[in-house]
Amino acid sequence: MNIAEIDRLGDEIAELAVHLDAATARLLDLIRTFDEVGGWSNGFRSCADWLCWRVGLGPVAAREHVRVARALATLPRLAQA
């Protein structure tokens, strides 16, 4: 690869990282709302259990997603960023 191709590759990586960050922020916002309205309460013990079943997250990752989603509700400036 030449320098220009490597630079384009680096730019694409950076652009995709921004998209992933935006998608993660949206995902956490949706998880928080789903948890608040009890969308998981149709047979599951918790939102994390529902995430394990529906999304395929492991138990620890699912609990962390819910924890961070809830925490962002108390940090509006961070959530907005």
Side-chain angles (χ1 to χ4, degrees):
M1 291 185 115
N2 64 41
I3 297 296
E5 291 171 327
I6 292 170
D7 285 344
R8 280 193 299 275
L9 183 59
D11 290 343
E12 187 174 354
I13 290 168
E15 182 179 343
L16 285 174
V18 169
H19 289 289
L20 286 172
D21 289 344
T24 299
R26 178 69 178 138
L27 174 64
L28 292 171
D29 187 48
L30 293 172
I31 288 170
R32 182 180 66 250
T33 301
F34 190 78
D35 185 39
E36 288 173 351
V37 301
W40 51 267
S41 63
N42 58 343
F44 294 90
R45 292 180 299 157
S46 67
C47 188
D49 285 345
W50 182 87
L51 284 169
C52 289
W53 170 77
R54 185 68 167 91
V55 181
L57 290 176
V60 173
R63 283 191 301 273
E64 280 299 295
H65 276 68
V66 174
R67 184 188 67 77
V68 171
R70 288 175 180 168
L72 285 173
T74 67
L75 303 165
R77 288 177 60 191
L78 180 61
Q80 191 175 42

